[in-house]
Amino acid sequence: MAKNAEKLHIIPPSKHSFDHHSMSPSATRVIDGLVQAGFQAYLVGGSIRDGLLGCQPKDFDVSTDATPEEVKKVFRNARIIGRRFRIVHVRFGREIIEVTTFRGKSSDSSHQVESNTGQLLRDNVYGNMHSDAIRRDFTVNALYYSPENGSVYDYTNGVDDIKKRQLRIIGDPLTRYKEDPVRLLRAIRFSAKLGFTIEEKTANPIFDNGHLLTHVPPARLFDEILKLFLNGSATASYTLLKDYQLLDALFPATMAVMEKSPYFEGLISAVMINTDKRIRNDKRVTPAFIYGALLWPAFIYEQHRLVTEGVPIIAAVHQAADAVIAQQLAIVAIPKRFTIPMRQIWELQWRLALRTGKKADKALEHEKFRAGYDFLLMREAAGEKLNGLGTWWTRYQEASEDVRHAMVDELQPPHTSQRKPRRRKKKTTETTSQDSVSE
Ligand code: ATP
Ligand code: MG
């Protein structure tokens, strides 16, 4: 075991900055309840890390020597969940306190199951605070706080690493990544969110081991990817994912296209920057939009390919969406409630170009108009030349009915115009870009 993982430092309240008052009253109740029932119980993980950094923790996890069944007996509002890791959820209204039993040391036990790549499939061996600490992922996440005496318990020099603002994995990095490849993504997430550097030995194996992510169940990957992009540091997360070459495993079709057309980089970056801005301003963000951008390169490439094979444009849009989504679902289980609006956002990119007659008003009534329009603006912000389509829609939404009519009339191709009949047929001027269609 690495030198970081052995000696216990108990840091008294006068020597650390964790503020007891930042604790949720529900977490205090859970710890008090367990201690009164004769068990050990501590606050653990991200809440202490964030508290020591002076940030308000987002949720509170508790670690105890009580087994899940024993925890359940103490609290009426408790439920045992999970299989890979059995944990207890204690519910207080909308707040859930996650209670985990101290993990034990790995040994050949029927309670611990490993795959042939070293991945832990089931791990329900119990132990003490020390064994629990060294089974956690990063030193900064392996701190314990006792509300009874106000001390922080540190087995892995996590407090030092917080001061140094660095992320260090506990134990042998490659073994720990193989045990649970999601730790690769967690390294990126915490580095992006906290602005911490990834210590060298922790960082080095990340570059070559993205392929391990293909062993992670798609549903878990969906959750983890969402956390990377929805915590206000999507831009930093995306940059780190790229730098550490993890995107190839997560979005292979998109990455293959990006190699050939770096233009798409601008769109994805613009969407990440916009996502962070919306979160800062308490605006809603939807995974449909983020995935829509991440899969757009693959989708456009496939759509073009089908068109060159002679498939009509709109049929190609549908077929390309089907193919790209099916391929991605094998890696990341994006739920239908997000793939459906994602497709609608993509389809709207064509519909928004078709504005003559009643089409503009119909598009405006589309339930995903806003997202489709925002996506269009992102494409333009990324440098795609769309003949001012975004500005047109911005004006159209704000315009009076008369102005709207005039705007649509101006688009009428000359041969269909009532006012100025022309003898010669002329091509419509409504074409927007290679990626959009004209009427
Ligand atoms: P966040 O602020 O994002 O919730 P967190 O550190 O609390 O960050 P959680 O995913 O809530 O992260 O997990 C709680 C704790 O459980 C972590 O701090 C870490 O100690 C431990 N943990 C979570 N996932 C893993 C993992 N894959 N491997 C090892 N330990 C883990
Ligand atoms: Mg947490």
Side-chain angles (χ1 to χ4, degrees):
M1 185 55 67
K3 61 181 182 304
N4 59 25
E6 293 308 333
K7 196 166 175 297
L8 170 64
H9 296 274
I10 302 177
I11 303 145
S14 59
K15 294 268 169 58
H16 68 72
S17 59
F18 185 83
D19 180 7
H20 195 101
H21 301 289
S22 70
M23 252 182 99
S24 116
S26 315
T28 311
R29 271 166 74 183
V30 169
I31 295 180
D32 287 351
L34 288 166
V35 170
Q36 273 162 30
F39 298 107
Q40 293 178 48
Y42 302 88
L43 198 62
V44 69
S47 53
I48 305 164
R49 178 199 67 218
D50 292 349
L52 287 173
L53 285 166
C55 317
Q56 180 56 40
K58 91 177 167 19
D59 50 33
F60 294 87
D61 301 319
V62 169
S63 192
T64 177
D65 63 351
T67 63
E69 289 73 20
E70 286 169 333
V71 176
K72 199 166 181 297
K73 273 190 203 141
V74 178
F75 304 102
R76 269 189 307 120
N77 43 341
R79 210 158 66 90
I80 299 177
I81 62 153
R83 197 179 120 79
R84 191 169 155 275
F85 290 113
R86 295 177 72 231
I87 61 179
V88 185
H89 276 176
V90 188
R91 184 181 277 279
F92 299 90
R94 296 173 91 196
E95 191 180 9
I96 288 176
I97 304 296
E98 215 167 87
V99 184
T100 51
T101 305
F102 289 148
R103 299 285 150 200
K105 253 187 105 172
S106 335
S107 57
D108 51 352
S109 150
S110 60
H111 297 286
Q112 207 173 41
V113 182
E114 222 180 62
S115 75
N116 56 7
T117 58
Q119 198 175 340
L120 275 181
L121 302 178
R122 184 143 29 99
D123 182 14
N124 289 306
V125 184
Y126 301 132
N128 54 30
M129 194 209 273
H130 180 204
S131 59
D132 188 78
I134 62 176
R135 298 297 312 282
R136 290 182 178 269
D137 48 4
F138 303 100
T139 62
V140 300
N141 286 349
L143 299 168
Y144 299 73
Y145 173 78
S146 161
E148 318 299 313
N149 63 21
S151 294
V152 169
Y153 294 72
D154 180 5
Y155 281 97
T156 63
N157 282 331
V159 173
D160 253 17
D161 284 337
I162 288 182
K163 284 187 193 137
K164 291 183 191 152
R165 302 184 69 79
Q166 73 171 4
L167 211 60
R168 192 155 51 92
I169 201 161
I170 300 168
D172 172 59
L174 186 56
T175 312
R176 300 306 310 287
Y177 290 133
K178 280 189 171 163
E179 233 173 50
D180 182 3
V182 159
R183 289 173 189 149
L184 297 163
L185 298 182
R186 290 177 63 87
I188 303 301
R189 170 154 72 93
F190 294 122
S191 171
K193 170 177 141 168
L194 306 168
F196 280 21
T197 51
I198 308 180
E199 175 268 336
E200 203 183 331
K201 288 199 183 82
T202 304
N204 284 339
I206 303 180
F207 294 101
D208 300 323
N209 285 287
H211 61 94
L212 293 174
L213 289 168
T214 54
H215 302 296
V216 178
R220 186 154 176 239
L221 270 191
F222 175 76
D223 291 343
E224 288 299 326
I225 291 173
L226 222 52
K227 287 187 206 161
L228 278 163
F229 296 128
L230 295 186
N231 69 2
S233 44
T235 312
S237 293
Y238 177 70
T239 306
L240 286 170
L241 285 174
K242 212 167 45 175
D243 292 350
Y244 281 97
Q245 292 158 26
L246 296 180
L247 290 169
D248 293 320
L250 300 175
F251 301 101
T254 280
M255 293 315 284
V257 173
M258 296 252 266
E259 242 169 51
K260 288 176 244 154
S261 319
Y263 145 76
F264 290 112
E265 191 63 59
L267 172 74
I268 299 181
S269 296
V271 167
M272 296 302 166
I273 292 168
N274 190 249
T275 302
D276 289 340
K277 203 157 101 195
R278 289 183 71 94
I279 290 175
R280 268 199 307 282
N281 296 332
D282 282 327
K283 286 200 189 153
R284 234 171 55 83
V285 289
T286 163
F289 201 86
I290 297 171
Y291 274 100
L294 286 166
L295 296 174
W296 177 255
F299 162 68
I300 283 296
Y301 183 82
E302 181 61 8
Q303 194 266 345
H304 275 303
R305 196 188 63 77
L306 290 165
V307 169
T308 48
E309 275 187 0
V311 179
I313 286 172
I314 296 300
V317 168
H318 294 296
Q319 285 176 31
D322 285 345
V324 168
I325 291 170
Q327 229 180 15
Q328 190 63 34
L329 288 182
I331 308 167
V332 183
I334 312 168
K336 264 222 173 81
R337 66 179 188 283
F338 300 128
T339 55
I340 293 171
M342 177 172 84
R343 290 181 75 112
Q344 289 173 309
I345 291 170
W346 286 346
E347 284 158 18
L348 271 164
Q349 301 312 300
W350 276 264
R351 286 191 61 175
L352 291 177
L354 311 173
R355 294 158 289 168
T356 49
K358 298 230 178 303
K359 289 188 187 120
D361 283 338
K362 278 229 172 92
L364 203 54
E365 283 164 18
H366 192 287
E367 56 166 333
K368 287 287 167 276
F369 169 80
R370 186 75 217 181
Y373 160 73
D374 284 343
F375 199 88
L376 183 72
L377 295 186
M378 292 283 110
R379 288 168 62 203
E380 283 191 334
E384 203 173 326
K385 296 281 172 279
L386 297 173
N387 260 342
L389 189 59
T391 314
W392 190 93
W393 275 106
T394 308
R395 271 185 61 216
Y396 192 79
Q397 289 172 78
E398 289 157 4
S400 66
E401 198 142 322
D402 287 349
V403 175
R404 282 185 182 180
H405 280 310
M407 286 175 76
V408 169
D409 279 350
E410 276 171 30
L411 297 169
Q412 301 287 350
H415 66 278
T416 57
S417 165
Q418 304 273 309
R419 270 166 278 151
K420 281 189 184 172
R422 281 268 195 107
R423 253 161 280 148
R424 233 167 2 108
K425 251 194 177 183
K426 230 183 165 188
K427 240 184 157 188
T428 170
T429 52
E430 223 188 317
T431 312
T432 52
S433 87
Q434 50 163 0
D435 296 330
S436 302
V437 285
S438 59
E439 276 188 289

